[in-house]
Amino acid sequence: GNENSSRVFGQHGFDMQHMHSSMKAQAFTDGGINDPARPATFWSVEVALPLHGLAVNNSVTVPPKPGQFWRINFSRVEWNTKVVNGRYQKDPKCQSCPVPGGPHEDNWVWSPQGVVDMHRPERWGMLQFSESKPNATKPVRNPEWTVRSVAMEIYDAEHAYAGDNSGLFTSDLSQLSKYMVHPELLEGACTQVPAVEVDNGKFFANVSSASGDMFGTVWNDHFLTIHHRD
């Protein structure tokens, strides 16, 4: 539903520090570390993350069962550098930004997100667990994918609309469609026609699957829930 992190929930949220005692990491490079006099041609890193630590504040099964999947992402910040007086110094020239060469860092992720923002769990990739040999597992489809995707595109569109309209949201789908990447979603292209309500400066949107067996609700604070109908 929402971002489970210490950034949002303080000491009650997930934090890598909770796993520090049981996490293992190792790095290797064929050159020096932070030493321009001994440049490296490659590096590698391996990290072992305890599953019980990743499952903090979650209802997932630990250890996971074959066929189960988690939303997860990994990110690495890459800074362009230059050598000044024998030491590396940041010289930002972003190559992955909308304007290449801009004064920002590059961000590496293991699955495409479409935005430079790691705090979007709805855009993370799927990690499927298996006991089979590599490449021998049939991918499992998330039955909630369509409802979740439509709900979060509405969320993004609402905030884009508010950015152009003094912070106000809208329940007018014809106005909201101008801010949708796929406006046909508001016409029921993949689900039933969504319903959006605005009240006291806040909004929530309901999205029902085409078959009606589930529906999702997303609020203006990014919180998303999925309910399955019997």
Side-chain angles (χ1 to χ4, degrees):
N2 212 332
E3 179 185 330
N4 174 22
S5 72
S6 57
R7 186 182 79 96
V8 176
F9 297 117
Q11 63 178 348
H12 302 295
F14 171 83
D15 194 306
M16 288 288 287
Q17 296 300 318
H18 295 163
M19 304 190 298
H20 188 268
S21 61
S22 53
M23 183 174 66
K24 298 180 180 180
Q26 189 70 41
F28 177 81
T29 176
D30 65 339
I33 298 177
N34 298 327
D35 185 359
R38 295 188 297 142
T41 59
F42 74 91
W43 57 266
S44 64
V45 63
E46 184 174 349
V47 181
L49 300 171
L51 295 176
H52 67 83
L54 293 174
V56 169
N57 295 340
N58 215 310
S59 59
V60 296
T61 302
V62 177
K65 298 179 180 179
Q68 292 183 329
F69 53 84
W70 293 359
R71 301 297 290 268
I72 196 167
N73 211 343
F74 305 94
S75 174
R76 176 181 181 273
V77 175
E78 169 78 4
W79 290 93
N80 186 68
T81 61
K82 61 183 178 181
V83 178
V84 178
N85 297 325
R87 299 174 65 88
Y88 286 118
Q89 185 178 99
K90 288 182 180 179
D91 183 30
K93 294 180 181 179
C94 180
Q95 298 304 307
S96 60
C97 297
V99 180
H104 302 284
E105 76 281 7
D106 283 284
N107 291 272
W108 299 9
V109 291
W110 81 293
S111 61
Q113 288 194 180
V115 293
V116 183
D117 184 355
M118 280 295 292
H119 305 287
R120 302 281 193 97
E122 73 277 3
R123 292 175 178 261
W124 294 354
M126 296 287 190
L127 174 63
Q128 180 179 328
F129 295 92
S130 173
E131 295 179 341
S132 303
K133 294 181 179 180
N135 301 319
T137 302
K138 182 179 180 181
V140 175
R141 182 181 182 277
N142 181 3
E144 299 176 354
W145 178 269
T146 302
V147 169
R148 287 179 174 273
S149 298
V150 173
M152 294 314 300
E153 184 162 332
I154 291 174
Y155 168 87
D156 288 338
E158 281 285 1
H159 280 274
Y161 175 90
D164 287 345
N165 292 273
S166 303
L168 300 176
F169 300 115
T170 181
S171 59
D172 187 337
L173 298 187
S174 65
Q175 292 297 316
L176 191 62
S177 67
K178 301 174 184 178
Y179 295 85
M180 295 282 289
V181 177
H182 304 96
E184 65 274 14
L185 296 179
L186 296 180
E187 300 175 359
C190 298
T191 63
Q192 296 181 26
V193 175
V196 179
E197 293 189 29
V198 176
D199 184 37
N200 291 326
K202 301 179 180 180
F203 83 85
F204 68 89
N206 287 321
V207 180
S208 293
S209 61
S211 63
D213 62 340
M214 73 179 75
F215 71 94
T217 302
V218 63
W219 283 264
N220 56 278
D221 63 355
H222 200 255
F223 190 71
L224 169 67
T225 58
I226 301 294
H227 300 277
H228 294 258
R229 295 187 173 99
D230 295 331

